[in-house]
Amino acid sequence: MITNVATFKALGDPTRQQILAMLAGRDMTIGEVVDHFDMTRAGVKKHMKLLEAGRLISVKADGRERINSLNREGFKSVMQWVSYFDQFWDDKLDALASLVEQEEQK
Amino acid sequence: MITNVATFKALGDPTRQQILAMLAGRDMTIGEVVDHFDMTRAGVKKHMKLLEAGRLISVKADGRERINSLNREGFKSVMQWVSYFDQFWDDKLDALASLVEQEEQK
DNA sequence: GACATATGAAACCAAAAGGTACTACATAAG
DNA sequence: CTTATGTAGTACCTTTTGGTTTCATATGTC
């Protein structure tokens, strides 16, 4: 319940969200990603590193190229963390239901 | 597909995640939240502001106190954004299934 | 009214993040 | 072998962020 911080941090940037959307279309090398942005290769590389740290992408070497693809782990981790709070909303609704019942009995 | 950045940014910090967990237990004033941290009131206040910007909490005035509670909107927004990528995984699995079929036909 | 308490906001500071330029290395192609 | 391409890494700069201190305001309490 603490390591997902890297994942959320990675998601808290519009550029990185865009990169993820692109990778949902197809796997890409950093070079290909760079072509879609007005930014240095080194700049993009930094974003990729953060995405990888958040386990949102994974990299596979192929010759001198590195293929970047979406990594399900990060997404799963986000889903799980947020799901933890579902219980909270359920309880709230239960409490609300009880209140309504009490009101009706008056 | 861009404003949820504030929400993810708010979630990308361990202190703020802790605060959310506390508020899942019960609603709290800033003062009560401060008691659980080794941090200045102003410091906590800043975190609360970011959580509010991410629509993860909402504030209700009560006399001189301000009651902070979880706000479902931010959580819903996260769920929705991540769900967008579900399609990706589904397609991947479909493609994998096709591959397996082709292999079996050989 | 005088005083305590709960809060908001601004000024300031150190550290982290977003970005660039530059260097170096590995692989592909002539 | 030489050259071009795809990449990683470091040094550096500027902006943002996490945090404190300080001041001002609004509501409760005696």
Side-chain angles (χ1 to χ4, degrees):
Chain A
M1 185 111 152
I2 247 179
T3 30
N4 57 8
V5 169
T7 306
F8 284 116
K9 205 170 282 187
L11 287 172
D13 178 281
T15 301
R16 291 194 284 272
Q17 285 195 10
Q18 261 186 276
I19 294 177
L20 290 177
M22 288 169 49
L23 292 182
R26 64 179 178 87
D27 294 352
M28 287 187 177
T29 65
I30 291 196
E32 290 173 317
V33 174
V34 171
D35 290 342
H36 291 70
F37 290 96
D38 185 22
M39 195 189 301
T40 314
R41 171 186 213 86
V44 172
K45 167 66 179 168
K46 278 197 179 181
H47 285 299
M48 304 303 278
K49 208 170 184 173
L50 292 177
L51 286 171
E52 205 183 346
R55 305 180 329 282
L56 290 159
I57 68 173
S58 57
V59 189
K60 188 186 56 172
D62 177 24
R64 64 180 163 183
E65 295 185 338
R66 306 296 152 89
I67 312 297
N68 299 272
S69 2
L70 293 189
N71 180 358
R72 190 165 203 168
E73 300 216 5
F75 294 90
K76 208 165 38 178
S77 158
V78 168
M79 281 297 218
Q80 286 176 352
W81 193 83
V82 176
S83 295
Y84 164 79
F85 288 90
D86 284 350
Q87 181 62 37
F88 172 78
W89 309 117
D90 291 347
D91 290 354
K92 279 285 183 195
L93 292 178
D94 288 352
L96 181 61
S98 301
L99 262 180
V100 172
E101 275 181 30
Q102 287 177 16
E103 286 299 320
E104 285 174 346
Q105 286 181 0
K106 283 180 187 172
Chain B
M1 187 112 152
I2 247 180
T3 29
N4 57 8
V5 168
T7 306
F8 283 116
K9 206 170 279 189
L11 288 172
D13 178 281
T15 300
R16 291 194 285 270
Q17 285 195 9
Q18 260 186 275
I19 294 177
L20 290 177
M22 288 169 49
L23 292 182
R26 64 179 178 86
D27 294 353
M28 287 187 177
T29 65
I30 291 196
E32 290 172 318
V33 173
V34 170
D35 291 341
H36 292 71
F37 290 97
D38 185 21
M39 194 188 305
T40 312
R41 168 184 218 89
V44 172
K45 167 65 180 171
K46 279 196 178 182
H47 285 298
M48 306 300 279
K49 208 169 182 175
L50 291 177
L51 287 171
E52 204 182 348
R55 306 182 326 284
L56 290 158
I57 69 174
S58 56
V59 188
K60 187 187 56 174
D62 176 26
R64 65 179 164 182
E65 295 184 339
R66 307 294 152 92
I67 311 298
N68 299 272
S69 2
L70 293 190
N71 179 357
R72 190 165 204 166
E73 301 216 6
F75 294 89
K76 208 164 40 178
S77 158
V78 167
M79 280 298 218
Q80 285 176 353
W81 194 84
V82 175
S83 296
Y84 165 78
F85 289 90
D86 284 351
Q87 182 61 36
F88 172 78
W89 308 117
D90 290 347
D91 291 352
K92 278 284 185 194
L93 291 177
D94 288 350
L96 182 61
S98 303
L99 263 180
V100 172
E101 276 179 30
Q102 287 176 15
E103 286 299 318
E104 285 173 347
Q105 286 181 0
K106 283 180 184 171

